[in-house]
Amino acid sequence: MIAAIGVGALGAVLLWATLTDTRTVLVARDTIVRGSVITAEDLTETQVGADVALDLIGAGARGDVVGQRAAWDVAAGAPLTTGVVTAELVPPSGMSVLGIVLPPPVSPGLALLPGDRVRAVVTSADGASEQAPTFHEAQVVAVNPPAPDGQTVVDVLVSHEEAITLAAEAAAGKVTLVLDSRELDEQNTAPPTDGTEPSPSPSASSETGEG
């Protein structure tokens, strides 16, 4: 009898510990559509076990979440994870992300990193043209792992208008990426958004002219 009472008491303690070892997290009240600004009305709260492996956003961070954008759709009733909240979507308005395939011979010798400023240089596929190469200014968004054949896909951010032209040139195998200085000042930290073709600066001309 005493043993039974002891087992019952232990079970009650374990049940109480299970129920109280929780944390309060933010949940989508209704479906939150990707790209939309998250409002206070979009959010509610629920309790989950403290040992839940997902990187959930705690209720205490509500003020940091409201006013940010949703990086992807969040279904009604689903908890918010840290990756769903972003201050700026990629690509932002007026910009496009384009994947450029680089075979080993035309990849920069120095590993590219997200945020690097590059020029997508367009040359003649057969090398016979005497016309000077043109280029598009871009920014690296992501560098994908090399494929078994050695080719690497680099995702770059370019203006919406230039993306169409650059996509056609890249598909024809006429594009290589040139890594530029990582110390560019703030006025040169974004590709043009008006669709105009950037003109080479004197320093750029001297760089492309060197062997």
Side-chain angles (χ1 to χ4, degrees), residues 4-40:
I5 295 175
V7 171
L10 178 60
V13 170
L14 292 175
L15 177 61
W16 177 84
T18 300
L19 295 176
T20 56
D21 190 15
T22 61
R23 55 186 173 129
T24 305
V25 299
L26 294 176
V27 172
R29 187 188 304 274
D30 296 305
T31 298
I32 301 175
V33 180
R34 74 184 66 186
S36 63
V37 176
I38 301 173
T39 66

Side-chain angles (χ1 to χ4, degrees), residues 2 11 34 36 43 53 59 61 66 72 75 79 84 92 104 111 149 151 159 173 191 195 200 202 204:
I2 296 176
R34 74 184 66 186
S36 63
L43 305 174
V66 172
W72 58 76
V84 77
D149 60 2
Q151 294 190 130
S159 68

Side-chain angles (χ1 to χ4, degrees), residues 76-146:
L80 274 66
T81 59
T82 53
V84 77
V85 179
T86 180
E88 182 178 355
L89 295 177
V90 176
S93 178
M95 307 296 288
S96 300
V97 172
L98 170 67
I100 297 180
V101 179
L102 297 179
V106 299
S107 298
L110 187 63
L112 294 173
L113 301 172
D116 278 343
R117 305 295 308 156
V118 296
R119 280 173 292 162
V121 180
V122 183
T123 58
S124 173
D126 56 11
S129 175
E130 296 181 358
Q131 186 177 6
T134 59
F135 65 86
H136 306 264
E137 292 186 350
Q139 181 176 356
V140 176
V141 176
V143 180
N144 299 280

